[in-house]
């Protein structure tokens, strides 16, 4: 792993710049670029930011699926 702040953190977390990380929820990549670079994040790639946690639910198990269904029912998205 590479530290985000190699000089150490000298600021409160609230004062740090916003940061994000790939979570595998969505990749949208030109097939030609993917084949040429063998990367999901070639130069010029743009990020998709999900502000609402319901927009990026990670489903790996049946319990995750059930949680997602209930969360969507609670918001009225799913009946």
């Amino acid at each position: 792993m590479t530290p985000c702040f190699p000089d150490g953190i000298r600021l409160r977390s609230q004062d740090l710049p916003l940061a994000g990380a790939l979570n595998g929820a969505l990749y949208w990549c030109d097939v030609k670029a993917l084949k040429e670079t063998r990367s999901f994040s070639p130069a010029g790639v743009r990020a998709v930011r999900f502000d609402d946690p319901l927009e990026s639910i990670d489903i790996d198990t049946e319990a995750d699926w059930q949680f997602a269904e209930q969360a969507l029912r609670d918001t009225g998205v799913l009946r």
Side-chain angles (χ1 to χ4, degrees):
M1 290 183 15
T2 304
C4 292
F5 305 98
D7 296 329
I9 297 176
R10 294 187 174 88
L11 298 172
R12 300 177 312 147
S13 59
Q14 300 91 326
D15 297 329
L16 294 172
L18 293 176
L22 293 175
N23 70 358
L26 174 68
Y27 290 103
W28 188 336
C29 185
D30 180 72
V31 173
K32 183 180 176 187
L34 180 61
K35 287 180 178 179
E36 288 175 359
T37 64
R38 301 193 52 79
S39 171
F40 284 108
S41 53
V45 72
R46 302 213 183 232
V48 175
R49 185 172 136 200
F50 297 105
D51 293 325
D52 185 333
L54 291 179
E55 295 175 331
S56 183
I57 298 173
D58 189 22
I59 299 176
D60 295 318
T61 66
E62 185 176 346
D64 293 341
W65 182 270
Q66 291 170 353
F67 169 81
E69 282 187 335
Q70 188 58 53
L72 294 171
R73 273 191 210 95
D74 291 348
T75 61
V77 172
L78 188 65
R79 294 177 191 247

